[in-house]
């Protein structure tokens, strides 16, 4: 397995949209779960969303009905479509891939910065 790599972060106005990508070659073909987390300075890391190989999603209450997680197996990529963004969504967003025979192996990406500001 290789470390995942996030992309798609940037500066967006409140109410705007942004799509994050997490590419993990050789992992998405056979994995246990993929998670998105976010963290701001001085705060604990917050879980955002996960998706299973079957495409089953789960979301934190803070992003429910605003964020959508999807999987593109052909591109070895998981996406996080973020809409109606709020200043409190500002954070470093990181993906974590989990795999292995017993789902014992996890790898973190370096993260991509999302800033929501006018």
């Amino acid at each position: 397995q290789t470390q995942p790599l996030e992309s798609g972060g940037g500066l967006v106005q409140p109410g705007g949209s942004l799509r994050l990508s997490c590419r993990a070659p050789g992992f998405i073909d056979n994995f246990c779960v993929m998670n998105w987390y976010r963290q701001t300075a001085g705060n604990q890391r917050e879980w955002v969303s996960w998706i299973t190989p079957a495409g089953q999603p789960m979301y934190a209450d803070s992003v429910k009905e605003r964020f959508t997680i999807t999987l593109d197996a052909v591109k070895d990529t998981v996406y996080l479509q973020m809409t109606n963004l709020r200043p409190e969504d500002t954070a470093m967003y990181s993906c974590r891939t989990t795999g292995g025979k017993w789902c014992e192996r996890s790898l973190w990406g370096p993260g991509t910065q999302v800033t929501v500001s006018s």
Side-chain angles (χ1 to χ4, degrees), residues 31-36 47-61 63-71 78-81:
F31 70 102
C32 295
V33 66
M34 206 293 296
N35 285 269
W36 280 101
W47 173 79
V48 175
S49 179
W50 58 246
I51 191 167
T52 70
Q56 181 181 4
M58 185 70 78
Y59 304 96
D61 288 341
V63 306
K64 188 177 181 180
E65 299 183 5
R66 296 190 300 118
F67 291 11
T68 302
I69 187 170
T70 57
L71 170 66
V78 170
Y79 299 99
L80 186 67
Q81 179 67 50

Side-chain angles (χ1 to χ4, degrees), residues 94-106:
S94 300
C95 64
R96 179 187 182 225
T97 56
T98 300
K101 183 177 180 180
W102 307 106
C103 301
E104 78 281 5
R105 185 178 182 88
S106 294

Side-chain angles (χ1 to χ4, degrees), residues 10-87:
L11 175 64
V12 63
Q13 293 185 345
S17 300
L18 207 60
R19 187 178 74 166
L20 305 183
S21 300
C22 176
R23 186 168 184 269
F27 176 82
I28 294 179
D29 290 338
N30 186 17
F31 70 102
C32 295
V33 66
M34 206 293 296
N35 285 269
W36 280 101
Y37 292 83
R38 66 186 183 185
Q39 186 173 24
T40 58
N43 293 330
Q44 295 294 108
R45 180 176 289 150
E46 176 189 14
W47 173 79
V48 175
S49 179
W50 58 246
I51 191 167
T52 70
Q56 181 181 4
M58 185 70 78
Y59 304 96
D61 288 341
S62 59
V63 306
K64 188 177 181 180
E65 299 183 5
R66 296 190 300 118
F67 291 11
T68 302
I69 187 170
T70 57
L71 170 66
D72 187 335
V74 174
K75 296 182 178 180
D76 292 332
T77 301
V78 170
Y79 299 99
L80 186 67
Q81 179 67 50
M82 307 183 295
T83 62
N84 193 24
L85 285 163
R86 307 164 180 169

